[in-house]
Amino acid sequence: MAHSVSHNLIFELIDDNLIIVTVKKNQFVVDFRFFETLDKDKLETILGELPEIYSEITLLIRNKNFITLPENFYNEDLSEIFKLSYTLFPNETVWLDKSEQNIGIAYAIDKSLIDLIVAKFPRVKIHHEAKVILSKLYKEVNFKQPRILITINTENLIIFAISEGELMLCNSYPVKSNDDIFYFVMLAVEQLHFIPSETELVILGEPPARIEMFELFKNYINEINIWLEEYQTDPQIINTESLAHSFALQTLVCE
C-alpha cells in the first residue's frame, strides 16, 4: 500500500461495509480498498495493518438516519431526542456533528467500531455525510435560486432544499425504488411551494441509474444536473464505483 506521512486517510463506513481511501495532497487517490460485512474483529485486523501517521484522518458515516438540530439543542440529551424519530440500539451511541452554520447533525453509530478507530487514530475527524455535504453547499452554492439536491444511498435518500438564501430542508427518507425517490422529491417541491419549472434538481454523485433518473424527472423539472467532484486515481486501482456514487467521499478526497 502506497503511504507517506503527507497522505490523507479516509474511512467511509456505510451499513456494515468499509471503504478506505488514501489520498495525496493533489487529490490523487493512491489506494482504494473495500471491505464487506465489517465486524469488530475484522476492523481490528484492518487497523493493525495500517501505518500510524497520516496528515489527516477522517471517518465518513453514510447511510445512517439523522436528525437536524439548532444550536440551542446541543446540550440536551441527544439520545432521547434521537429516539423520538428512530430506534437507538444498545450498541449505539448518538454522535453530534456541529456545522459552521449552527446546525447540528445527530446520528447513531456503533460504539465498538468507533472506539477501535479512535484508539488507533486519536486525531480522527468523524463526520456524517449530511454535514459534509451541507458544508460544501454553503461554501459553493448560491442559495437564492430554488434548488433540490439529492444524494442516493442503498434504501436511503437525503434531500437538501435551498431557496431565498436559506436552507429549507435537510432530511433522509427510506426508499426502495426510483418511484420512491420521485415521490419524496416531488413531495418536497410541493410542500415547500417550489415551482417545478423554476427549480433545479441536482443529483449529488453518480446515481446508480443515470438515464432512468433523468427520464423520471424530465417531464416535471426542467433543469436536472449531476454534481461530481473531480479527482484522479492511480491507473492500477479498479472497482471504484462506490467513490463515484458518494458525493460526500468525493468532497473529502478533493479537499
Side-chain angles (χ1 to χ4, degrees):
M1 178 180 66
H3 177 68
S4 166
V5 295
S6 64
H7 289 172
N8 293 340
L9 181 69
I10 304 170
F11 298 97
E12 183 187 71
L13 190 59
I14 177 167
D15 298 323
D16 59 350
N17 299 327
L18 179 70
I19 292 172
I20 301 180
V21 185
T22 307
V23 190
K24 283 184 178 181
K25 284 294 186 180
N26 60 356
Q27 304 170 357
F28 188 84
V29 176
V30 294
D31 193 64
F32 184 92
R33 300 187 180 197
F34 179 82
F35 302 90
E36 291 185 296
T37 57
L38 188 72
D39 58 24
K40 185 177 177 181
D41 291 339
K42 190 171 184 178
L43 178 59
E44 197 165 15
T45 300
I46 293 168
L47 292 174
E49 296 172 351
L50 293 174
E52 300 288 336
I53 301 176
Y54 292 85
S55 177
E56 292 184 5
I57 308 103
T58 306
L59 170 60
L60 174 65
I61 306 295
R62 282 186 65 211
N63 207 27
K64 282 288 187 180
N65 291 322
F66 66 91
I67 56 175
T68 54
L69 295 170
E71 188 177 26
N72 57 320
F73 279 85
Y74 286 1
N75 294 322
E76 300 294 329
D77 188 335
L78 297 181
S79 296
E80 292 303 314
I81 297 175
F82 185 84
K83 286 190 289 186
L84 294 174
S85 301
Y86 302 107
T87 300
L88 183 65
F89 295 99
N91 62 318
E92 292 181 327
T93 186
V94 175
W95 205 268
L96 178 65
D97 248 343
K98 300 177 182 179
S99 74
E100 297 84 356
Q101 294 75 35
N102 302 322
I103 300 172
I105 304 293
Y107 51 99
I109 52 179
D110 188 317
K111 190 174 185 303
S112 64
L113 299 182
I114 299 305
D115 286 348
L116 282 176
I117 294 175
V118 172
K120 172 75 175 187
F121 299 111
R123 295 189 299 113
V124 64
K125 293 183 267 187
I126 304 173
H127 295 305
H128 191 279
E129 64 175 320
K131 189 268 182 181
V132 172
I133 293 173
L134 272 180
S135 297
K136 183 74 170 178
L137 299 185
Y138 274 102
K139 287 177 183 176
E140 299 192 18
V141 174
N142 180 352
F143 271 50
K144 292 183 179 180
Q145 179 183 344
R147 285 187 176 94
I148 298 286
L149 306 102
I150 63 172
T151 183
I152 304 166
N153 294 316
T154 304
E155 298 190 351
N156 177 267
L157 168 74
I158 301 179
I159 298 179
F160 306 86
I162 57 178
S163 182
E164 298 180 353
E166 295 184 4
L167 176 70
M168 312 292 288
L169 178 68
C170 173
N171 203 3
S172 63
Y173 302 88
V175 295
K176 293 186 177 181
S177 67
N178 285 341
D179 289 341
D180 290 342
I181 294 170
F182 178 80
Y183 170 78
F184 285 117
V185 169
M186 297 310 297
L187 181 64
V189 170
E190 179 183 355
Q191 291 183 333
L192 295 172
H193 305 291
F194 283 9
I195 301 172
S197 61
E198 299 176 2
T199 301
E200 179 187 6
L201 174 64
V202 182
I203 303 169
L204 303 171
E206 183 66 46
R210 178 193 285 235
I211 295 176
E212 290 87 340
M213 195 64 57
F214 274 73
E215 285 293 322
L216 198 64
F217 287 102
K218 72 176 185 179
N219 293 326
Y220 299 90
I221 297 179
N222 286 344
E223 186 174 359
I224 307 171
N225 292 299
I226 292 181
W227 185 356
L228 300 169
E229 289 292 278
E230 294 185 4
Y231 55 88
Q232 293 181 303
T233 59
D234 188 301
Q236 297 182 358
I237 299 176
I238 59 174
N239 299 326
T240 59
E241 292 86 357
S242 49
L243 177 53
H245 294 322
S246 175
F247 182 76
L249 184 55
Q250 293 172 31
T251 297
L252 295 176
V253 165
C254 294
E255 282 187 344

